[in-house]
Amino acid sequence: MTIDAPDTVATVVPSPGGGRRLADTIGRPVRSAARTRSHRLTNVILTIVLSLGGIVMIAPLVWTLSTALKSKSAALTDPLQWIPDPIQWDNFVRVWDAGPLASGIANSLIVSVTVTVIGTGFSALAAFAFAKMRLPFKNAIFLSLLAAIMIPFPTIMIPQFIMFANLGLVDTLWPLILPGLFGNIVMVFFLRQFLDSVPDSIIEAAKLDGAGYLRIFTTLIFPAIRPAVAAQFILWFMAVWNDYLAPVIYLNTPAKQTLQVVIATFNSTYATQRDYPLIMAASFIALIPVLLVFVIFQKQIIESVALTGAKG
C-alpha cells in the first residue's frame, strides 16, 4: 500500500513482528532539493565575490593601458575617461625614442632568464639532495639555509657592494646574476617539501638497476616535480624582473640599466612634463614578458595547485 501526500512518498514495509510499519521517504528528496538550492546560492555568491575581486585586481592594468592610449590632456580629464577618445597609438612608438627602453628590456631579460633558468636547475638538484640523499649534517645545513632567509637584503647590501667593487664588477650585470645563479632558498625549501611525497622505494629500485643519482633526477624526480618547479619559476622570474633596489645600486650607465630603472628614470623625467601616457606605455610594455611567462606555465601552475590539494 502506498500513501501519497504533497512533497511526500511514503511506503508501508513489513516489520519484523509480522505487522506493517510506515517507512517515510519524503524527507530525502526534500532535503536533497534544499541542499541543491543551497549549493546554487553559494556558487552564485562565490561567483559574484570572485568576479568583484577579479575586477579590482585587473582594474590597474586596464587603467595603465587606457592611459597609455590617451593624449596628455585626456589623461588629466575630470571625470576619469576609461575609454580613450581618440586613441593615441603613437605613444607606443615614441616611447622607444624617449629613453633606453630597448636596452633596458634586453638587460632585464639577460638577468631574469639567466638567474631563473640556471638557478632553478641548481635549486631542484639541491632539493633532491636534501630530500632523498644521505649526506652528513644534511639537516643542519638545510636549517642554516633557512636561517639565511631571515637576513634582510639591506643588512648585506653594503658588504656585498664592497665585495663586487673590489672585484671590479660594479656597473655590470654580474652583481645581479651571481647571487641567484646557484639557487633560491625558498625554491629549495618548497621543492624539498614537495619531494616528500615521492616514495624512496622508487629511488632504491632505480639504484639497484644501476642508475646514478643524476639519471634518477632527470628521469624520475624532475618529471614528478615539474608542476612545482613551474610554479616557483614564475614567482622567481617576476621577483627578478621587477627588482629595482639591486639594479639602482650597481648600475650607473644608462645603456646597462635594467627595465625597472629605465622606467623610474622615465617617471622622474616625464612626470614633470605631465606626459603620463608615455610613462604608462613603458610600464605596460614592462608587463608583457611576465604575462607571457604566466601564459606559458599556467598549465603547470594549475597542476601544482591540484597536486598540493590532493596531497592535503
Side-chain angles (χ1 to χ4, degrees), residues 127-140:
F128 170 63
F130 282 122
K132 299 301 180 182
M133 294 179 64
R134 298 177 181 178
L135 302 172
F137 309 107
K138 178 177 66 176
N139 293 331

Side-chain angles (χ1 to χ4, degrees), residues 14 92 96 109 152 166 175 195 209 226 235 240 242 261:
F92 285 95
W96 300 98
L109 284 175
N166 292 334
L195 279 170
D209 289 340
R226 186 171 53 187
L235 294 176
V240 177
N242 293 324
V261 181

Side-chain angles (χ1 to χ4, degrees), residues 46 75 149 294:
L46 288 176
I149 302 177
F294 178 79

